[in-house]
Amino acid sequence: MLVLGLHTSLVLVSLLRLVVAAENDNTQIDSCAKLVHLRLENTTILSAGHVSGPVNVSTPGSCQSQALVSSSLCRVQFVINTTSTSAVHAEAWLPDTWFGRFLGLGNGGLGGCVDYVNLDYGTSLHFAAVGSDNGHDGDSGSVFLNHPEVLNDFAFRAIHVEAVIGKQIVEAYYGRPHHKSYYLSCSTGGRQGTQEALKFPEDFDGIVAGSPATNFNSLLGWATIISRFVGAPDPTGNPHFIPADLWNTIASEVLKQCDGLDGVEDGIITEPDDCQFRPEAIVCAAGQTTGCLTSAQIDALHEIYQPLFGTNGELLASRYDPGTEADGNAQAFFSGSIHPIADVREHNM
């Protein structure tokens, strides 16, 4: 009888836990659905629904058709009218298990794509995460022409309104405000993070602004120029063009010359500014045709690894950092085509 009583007790405890869990799930589902009725300044909640992860969900806009949701959460889609001629579409992902932290996300390139990868990453770490389309759909600059307020969203405003409205949605759902607020993004997102720190320092307690594309116009001009150093947009027959396989040779030589500058040869160039790369070390000797560069290609490297100055001697952009050529993205600059972001800008603006 004692064994039977213990077994019965364990079964009852298990059933009670299942009932409690089901009630909690129903509460979260109901609380999430009610967010469609939330009234916020200049904001319309387009949809709000609970998602049981892991699962793929459909996504709006032209950037992608679906996104992974790894954790169970409340997904809120909303639009913020920033002016009468501009609007920011955004999503808030609110995890079932929340540790009180808020995460704002930025964009990349010409910045009209919601960062679904980091929405998923943030919520998997129990952040309430918010990302937006930066005020336009797609990774093109054509929408900026004759639409100054859309450009303002891209330049500085989208992340601010995303943070302000996102925090209000978080508080409405969880019944309490966040206790810490963070921002995470790079490139264009790094520039957005810098703008946040300068213009709206109260939005975030901490900002990770990686590789900030701060001087955007000069940056894209620099990307075009260094592509032209190797013959873009048509490298056919151009003696300065450097094929992809030779960039491995260049990367190895850069590492050979500069790895030990910090006193440790560990395969890492710790401070690229200290590296004064001498490409002449891999110029082809008489009769050598592989694993080396011609004098014209060496000239191209000299242009690439020095700062870019304007016609009046003003600094437009810093040099291409030695060591960066080993990155897989280097071919975006040196494939013989104009860098894709710069090329999109030239054709659409």
Side-chain angles (χ1 to χ4, degrees):
M1 294 295 293
L2 179 62
V3 174
L4 179 60
L6 179 60
H7 176 73
T8 302
S9 297
L10 291 174
V11 170
L12 289 174
V13 169
S14 297
L15 289 173
L16 181 60
R17 286 175 176 172
L18 288 174
V19 170
V20 171
E23 289 179 348
N24 288 338
D25 287 345
N26 288 334
T27 299
Q28 288 172 325
I29 291 171
D30 291 342
S31 297
C32 182
K34 289 177 181 177
L35 290 177
V36 295
H37 304 298
L38 189 62
R39 296 292 179 262
L40 301 173
E41 185 178 5
N42 298 321
T43 300
T44 301
I45 307 296
L46 302 175
S47 68
H50 192 269
V51 179
S52 297
V55 67
N56 285 318
V57 296
S58 61
T59 58
S62 63
C63 297
Q64 61 189 83
S65 59
Q66 62 180 14
L68 174 65
V69 179
S70 297
S71 307
S72 293
L73 51 81
C74 174
R75 182 190 184 194
V76 185
Q77 296 173 287
F78 57 101
V79 58
I80 308 164
N81 294 311
T82 50
T83 70
S84 61
T85 58
S86 60
V88 172
H89 288 78
E91 297 201 17
W93 288 17
L94 313 174
D96 289 357
T97 303
W98 183 50
F99 292 168
R101 299 175 299 181
F102 178 89
L103 180 66
L105 300 170
N107 308 87
L110 290 171
C113 300
V114 175
D115 187 357
Y116 286 105
V117 171
N118 280 315
L119 279 173
D120 187 57
Y121 171 68
T123 49
S124 73
L125 298 176
H126 309 291
F127 286 83
V130 179
S132 78
D133 68 356
N134 207 9
H136 64 283
D137 177 43
D139 206 7
S140 166
S142 59
V143 69
F144 301 146
L145 184 62
N146 298 324
H147 295 96
E149 294 300 340
V150 177
L151 185 58
N152 282 334
D153 283 341
F154 171 78
F156 70 91
R157 188 167 51 206
I159 303 302
H160 173 59
V161 297
E162 159 194 312
V164 171
I165 298 300
K167 290 174 183 177
Q168 294 177 38
I169 293 173
V170 167
E171 184 171 359
Y173 180 63
Y174 292 110
R176 58 189 174 96
H178 67 282
H179 66 79
K180 289 293 182 182
S181 177
Y182 303 98
Y183 174 84
L184 172 67
S185 198
C186 69
S187 192
T188 288
R191 175 189 59 76
Q192 292 169 312
T194 302
Q195 287 293 306
E196 274 292 301
L198 293 171
K199 295 180 181 296
F200 309 105
E202 300 302 317
D203 281 353
F204 299 104
D205 298 302
I207 293 175
V208 178
S211 305
T214 304
N215 190 340
F216 200 67
N217 288 341
S218 290
L219 179 65
L220 295 189
W222 167 83
T224 301
I225 293 298
I226 65 169
S227 295
R228 291 183 64 83
F229 286 151
V230 291
D234 181 9
T236 305
N238 192 308
H240 297 97
F241 179 67
I242 303 173
D245 61 310
L246 279 180
W247 282 101
N248 294 327
T249 300
I250 297 166
S252 296
E253 183 61 29
V254 170
L255 190 64
K256 177 182 176 181
Q257 292 185 23
C258 299
D259 184 8
L261 291 176
D262 59 354
V264 181
E265 293 189 1
D266 54 2
I268 300 172
I269 301 175
T270 304
E271 183 46 74
D273 286 347
D274 292 338
C275 177
Q276 302 302 319
F277 175 48
R278 301 177 304 281
E280 291 83 1
I282 48 176
V283 69
C284 293
Q288 185 181 7
T289 58
T290 60
C292 62
L293 279 74
T294 66
S295 58
Q297 292 168 330
I298 296 294
D299 290 341
L301 291 182
H302 278 296
E303 296 284 1
I304 290 167
Y305 289 107
Q306 68 175 349
L308 182 66
F309 294 95
T311 55
N312 295 320
E314 71 277 19
L315 177 67
L316 298 179
S318 58
R319 67 174 180 165
Y320 189 79
D321 274 346
T324 313
E325 67 289 319
D327 187 281
N329 293 322
Q331 282 303 298
F333 296 100
F334 306 127
S335 66
S337 299
I338 300 296
H339 189 282
I341 295 178
D343 198 29
V344 167
R345 180 178 181 274
E346 286 183 351
H347 285 88
N348 288 326
M349 293 182 70

